[in-house]
Amino acid sequence: MKTRQFLYPGFRTFAHGGDYNPDQWMDRYPEVIDRDLELMDLSGCNTFSVGIFAWARYEPREGEYHFDWMRDLLDRLHAAGKHAVLATPSGSKPAWMSETYPEIRRVDERDRRDHHHGRHNHCYTSPVYREKVSQMNRRLAEEFGDHPAVVLWHLSNEYGGECYCDLCLAAFREWLQDRYKTLDNLNHAWWAHFWSHTLTDWDQIDPRDESVDGMRLDWMRFVSHQTVDFMKAETRALREGGATQPVTTNMMGTFPTLDYWRFVEDVDVIADDAYPLWKYNQDDLVTAAGAAFSHDMHRAMKGGRPWMLMESCTDTVQWCEVPKLKRPGVYRTEMIQALAHGADSLMYFQWRKGRGSQEKFHGAVVDHEGSTNTRTFQQVREIGSLLGNLEQITGWGNKPEVAVVMDWDARWAMEFSDGVSRMEKEATYMSPVFEFHRMFWKLGVSTDVIESTCDLSDYRLVVAPQLYLLKPGVADALMSFVKKGGTLLLTCFSGVVNESNLCFMGGFPGDGLREFCGVWAEEMDFLYEGEHQTIEMSAENALGLSGTFRTQRKLEVLHAEGADVLATVTSDFYAGYPIFTCKEQGEGKVFYLGAHMQETFLDALGPALIRTAGVKQVIETVLPEGVSAQKRTNGKQDFVFLQNFTTTTVTVSLDDRDYCCMETGDPVSSKVELAEWESRILIRNA
Ligand code: GLA
Ligand code: ZN
């Protein structure tokens, strides 16, 4: 990133704050709101998301609008020097609307219409709901579009879910007509002559037929499309009402059923909600790397530009199995991790615990007790002062040299395909993707998480684990990336199907990759939990690796067709078959790893791979286990984040550059000690 890009116009600092719902208190406890304003001042928070589920307050009866309470709140926030992220309330429809317009309630897979309950359960196609939401959003924009407190619009809340009502099915059919033009094309794409599923009329289409996996895939694409379409209609109404502020919506990490890349163009700011659940054992490293994965994706979505952490939890969430408190220092570490990966906001769910209903025990800045005298409040205040010392970081992101590809289409297609291990279910695609990202995270190598159609030209090294589905043009883009000098690693189960989940003919990996990689994956085998095969590195292989390693879960019967063999299987009937290969193409190299390997192999592979690709670690050192090193940069100075995610004290040996402590400005010795869960932010010349 060459230029500084702040979250929203005129805002040059971090957004710090959270979801605030005074609408729960205003009738009977107005003094609580007065107290909140005082506490906000003491908390070091400056930004509040308001109105997220406030529809019943704005419009308690159809056509009867009440906006004064929100105006009053925004005025008070503004007078206190606070900013508001104003939500559209579509995430929860009022009871009167569910009653008057049953069509806005979702229909499930078994044709049952929802009763009125919960939230996040409107039909995203219903013209009635869309009209109601548009009316509301227009009114909100007219009322508050020029309010000085409002810096950003928060579109709905955590969009998600599916609806099988007649309106949604009709919209799906229309979307398909647009995509395929003829039923003949559709029947081919879905391989519908199988089991006599041939369609002779568009009305026969029903996405609930699991045997037609190409259709399931299209349904998921449609759900993302329709959700984004709904979101766009929300923004349109805000604009019609005169609102000019940027818009965002809060994503949910790597949520399985929405392809978040489809949202990117239609939001100005990327925002995410992150709730890592710590256990205070070894699993925490997986959790920490998982949070890093999601952060790396959200930063990459707008080319390295800072993103918003819209929700996080200060202590415990009420929805997990064991609502464990966060140990001292843990929350701070979690927050600094978001900063390390490019967040310019730290926001909490929620500002204050409600007295009743489902989230009364969900962590909050302000407890039922109501004072500043709580561990959580004090931590939040400390984070506020920390942010005050870090302002020179805001607006600066990071542009890594490495990318790991995570593609929702490949994920869905693989999960829906029978014959891919049923045992692993959702993990089948995601496990190796997370593991390869974690390989870089452990090394302290900045990594983007991208989708397969992203521009690769700025990367030196791309790993596309299990790129099972190849969208049109992706194989060509990968090949040209390599020819121009890039290093590419593909793994087993790559290039198996085209965008319709139809297998490539002529050997895997398909679409030209067989010839390009110089390998043919003849068969794929799956292993039971705990079962493994062994592989052995070839003498003097290009990566300089030696020894034997174990596979897990799956491996291929692979043939080298012109590629150099770096490792061979040594067990069972596949003994002697190649499993890891390399081929030079143009200026670059393509590696093919035909097995899902245990993590010890990735620990050995990572350093060798970055050396080959000429990729630098953030700090040229061997990091102790459980320590991460990330950076942001303004081109002249690097802001280096060192974090210990373990419960022991560790020492990090820095490289031979000069580092200062960012908070104090003091020089730092070459050995940095980090206590349990401690983070240090250092500064050095870029
Ligand atoms: C989600 C929602 C919030 C709240 C939190 C609780 O992220 O967006 O409204 O329910 O979960 O963790
Ligand atoms: Zn519907």
Side-chain angles (χ1 to χ4, degrees):
M1 259 183 49
K2 295 203 178 56
T3 54
R4 202 169 183 186
Q5 297 185 56
F6 297 104
L7 281 183
Y8 18 88
F11 193 71
R12 303 179 66 83
T13 180
F14 293 99
H16 181 217
D19 280 30
Y20 182 43
N21 303 106
D23 39 312
Q24 294 174 14
W25 300 92
M26 55 195 261
D27 292 335
R28 293 182 180 231
Y29 310 83
E31 70 286 358
V32 165
I33 302 171
D34 298 340
R35 180 71 180 136
D36 280 332
L37 268 297
E38 287 167 20
L39 290 169
M40 283 174 186
D41 251 354
L42 300 171
S43 67
C45 290
N46 59 10
T47 305
F48 296 89
S49 304
V50 291
I52 293 181
F53 300 114
W55 201 320
R57 279 290 173 191
Y58 289 134
E59 196 182 1
R61 278 161 290 278
E62 187 162 19
E64 181 191 318
Y65 292 102
H66 296 262
F67 293 113
D68 287 351
W69 67 276
M70 179 54 84
R71 178 162 307 98
D72 182 53
L73 174 71
L74 293 174
D75 289 348
R76 294 180 74 179
L77 287 173
H78 182 59
K82 312 290 181 206
H83 293 137
V85 176
L86 182 54
T88 65
S90 62
S92 188
K93 48 193 165 26
W96 61 258
M97 204 188 292
S98 290
E99 191 181 43
T100 316
Y101 305 104
E103 75 161 61
I104 71 173
R105 307 196 312 247
R106 273 185 199 165
V107 169
D108 72 7
E109 279 183 67
R110 298 172 64 189
D111 276 329
R112 294 172 303 201
R113 171 117 21 218
D114 262 1
H115 52 101
H116 180 79
H117 71 113
R119 59 171 179 176
H120 298 156
N121 50 15
H122 57 267
C123 167
Y124 39 68
T125 302
S126 156
V128 170
Y129 197 57
R130 284 180 175 225
E131 182 47 31
K132 287 283 166 205
V133 170
S134 295
Q135 271 168 15
M136 173 55 73
N137 290 6
R138 268 194 302 270
R139 288 298 306 266
L140 284 173
E142 285 160 9
E143 298 286 333
F144 307 121
D146 57 2
H147 197 287
V150 179
V151 288
L152 182 67
W153 290 90
H154 183 299
L155 298 169
S156 200
N157 189 67
E158 295 191 341
Y159 288 113
E162 308 174 356
C163 175
Y164 293 90
C165 77
D166 290 344
L167 296 165
C168 285
L169 296 192
F172 179 45
R173 291 172 191 136
E174 225 173 90
W175 181 84
L176 290 167
Q177 286 198 24
D178 196 42
R179 189 176 169 92
Y180 292 102
K181 309 295 183 240
T182 68
L183 276 175
D184 189 42
N185 291 340
L186 186 72
N187 280 320
H188 172 253
W190 287 357
W191 211 246
H193 304 304
F194 171 78
W195 284 356
S196 222
H197 283 280
T198 314
L199 297 157
T200 51
D201 193 314
W202 296 93
D203 285 342
Q204 294 159 355
I205 295 167
D206 187 326
R208 289 165 287 196
D209 184 347
E210 287 185 2
S211 62
V212 186
D213 53 37
M215 174 165 69
R216 293 295 299 162
L217 176 60
D218 271 336
W219 171 253
M220 295 313 290
R221 289 177 176 138
F222 165 76
V223 170
S224 289
H225 163 87
Q226 199 69 348
T227 308
V228 171
D229 194 59
F230 183 91
M231 181 182 80
K232 281 157 75 172
E234 290 218 43
T235 308
R236 238 181 350 260
L238 291 175
R239 299 289 176 239
E240 285 161 10
T244 56
Q245 298 91 337
V247 298
T248 190
T249 193
N250 46 348
M251 302 181 182
M252 294 175 275
T254 55
F255 190 59
T257 53
L258 281 178
D259 179 351
Y260 281 135
W261 285 93
R262 309 285 67 80
F263 288 65
V264 172
E265 241 182 76
D266 297 297
V267 292
D268 301 303
V269 177
I270 299 294
D272 188 41
D273 298 345
Y275 292 93
L277 302 176
W278 309 106
K279 291 190 185 147
Y280 309 101
N281 63 18
Q282 279 308 100
D283 290 355
D284 283 345
L285 305 191
V286 176
T287 305
F293 182 96
S294 176
H295 298 343
D296 283 342
M297 180 176 77
H298 293 105
R299 184 195 55 228
M301 281 179 159
K302 293 269 186 195
R305 187 183 161 168
W307 55 279
M308 279 189 98
L309 180 66
M310 188 63 92
E311 287 182 27
S312 62
C313 183
T314 44
D315 43 64
T316 189
V317 291
Q318 101 290 351
W319 45 260
C320 65
E321 246 167 72
V322 180
K324 211 168 187 33
L325 286 180
K326 284 186 182 151
R327 271 43 195 160
V330 171
Y331 187 60
R332 184 184 170 93
T333 308
E334 205 181 298
M335 293 299 91
I336 294 177
Q337 188 188 24
L339 300 179
H341 292 266
D344 262 6
S345 90
L346 301 179
M347 308 270 286
Y348 315 119
F349 182 86
Q350 48 191 338
W351 168 256
R352 180 185 274 274
K353 288 182 186 170
R355 265 199 91 180
S357 285
Q358 195 165 335
E359 292 181 334
K360 63 180 177 297
F361 294 132
H362 191 290
V365 181
V366 182
D367 186 66
H368 297 121
E369 191 262 354
S371 79
T372 61
N373 197 21
T374 60
R375 196 169 65 94
T376 304
F377 193 92
Q378 296 303 330
Q379 284 193 66
V380 167
R381 183 151 53 189
E382 280 164 26
I383 287 172
S385 35
L386 171 74
L387 292 177
N389 292 331
L390 302 181
E391 277 184 8
Q392 50 177 318
I393 299 177
T394 51
W396 296 114
N398 186 20
K399 198 76 194 82
E401 299 173 315
V402 173
V404 169
V405 177
M406 194 284 253
D407 223 83
W408 261 273
D409 275 2
R411 177 182 184 178
W412 290 330
M414 201 163 167
E415 281 165 17
F416 297 154
S417 292
D418 229 358
V420 177
S421 173
R422 290 184 180 194
M423 190 177 73
E424 295 180 33
K425 298 203 180 78
E426 217 201 274
T428 193
Y429 174 75
M430 291 303 282
S431 300
V433 176
F434 281 131
E435 286 158 18
F436 277 101
H437 176 271
R438 190 155 71 235
M439 173 177 93
F440 293 120
W441 181 81
K442 286 178 172 178
L443 286 170
V445 167
S446 306
T447 306
D448 273 349
V449 174
I450 60 172
E451 67 165 343
S452 64
T453 48
C454 288
D455 179 15
L456 304 179
S457 49
D458 286 339
Y459 300 111
R460 282 175 185 271
L461 171 59
V462 172
V463 180
Q466 291 192 155
L467 197 52
Y468 169 80
L469 175 148
L470 293 175
K471 294 176 196 165
V474 166
D476 284 344
L478 292 171
M479 294 190 273
S480 104
F481 165 73
V482 174
K483 285 192 207 136
K484 288 187 194 141
T487 302
L488 173 68
L489 171 63
L490 296 174
T491 77
C492 58
F493 253 52
S494 288
V496 180
V497 299
N498 73 358
E499 77 278 11
S500 300
N501 214 4
L502 295 179
C503 294
F504 285 111
M505 310 288 281
F508 307 137
D511 212 10
L513 289 176
R514 172 178 179 175
E515 298 72 21
F516 191 76
C517 299
V519 294
W520 170 38
E522 184 190 345
E523 293 177 286
M524 303 170 209
D525 198 14
F526 291 88
L527 307 178
Y528 290 100
E529 192 85 55
E531 191 188 354
H532 67 265
Q533 301 296 346
T534 50
I535 73 164
E536 183 167 17
M537 299 306 302
S538 318
E540 289 172 28
N541 59 78
L543 286 173
L545 296 176
S546 59
T548 60
F549 297 94
R550 287 177 169 191
T551 68
Q552 58 171 326
R553 290 181 172 158
K554 49 179 117 49
L555 78 162
E556 294 175 333
V557 179
L558 198 68
H559 301 270
E561 297 178 333
D564 295 336
V565 177
L566 306 182
T568 311
V569 188
T570 52
S571 56
D572 211 322
F573 79 93
Y574 348 65
Y577 280 93
I579 199 68
F580 188 23
T581 65
C582 176
K583 190 164 166 63
E584 293 193 11
Q585 288 283 11
E587 309 282 301
K589 289 192 179 100
V590 54
F591 290 89
Y592 190 92
L593 177 61
H596 185 172
M597 298 300 299
Q598 293 189 4
E599 206 153 345
T600 41
F601 176 73
L602 301 196
D603 290 342
L605 175 66
L609 206 55
I610 60 169
R611 210 171 30 245
T612 302
V615 166
K616 292 205 175 57
Q617 295 164 280
V618 169
I619 302 174
E620 298 289 324
T621 189
V622 178
L623 293 169
E625 189 180 15
V627 171
S628 90
Q630 297 291 330
K631 74 167 189 188
R632 296 170 68 159
T633 185
N634 63 18
K636 295 196 185 81
Q637 287 165 313
D638 290 340
F639 312 107
V640 177
F641 296 74
L642 271 181
Q643 301 201 268
N644 179 8
F645 289 93
T646 73
T647 50
T648 52
T649 300
V650 295
T651 304
V652 181
S653 305
L654 300 178
D655 50 26
D656 53 14
R657 302 161 76 167
D658 294 329
Y659 291 82
C660 289
C661 169
M662 197 160 165
E663 281 181 87
T664 62
D666 297 335
V668 172
S669 84
S670 61
K671 301 250 185 265
V672 177
E673 195 167 280
L674 295 171
E676 57 174 315
W677 292 95
E678 193 187 348
S679 304
R680 296 287 298 274
I681 308 168
L682 310 178
I683 191 162
R684 69 176 183 207
N685 289 334

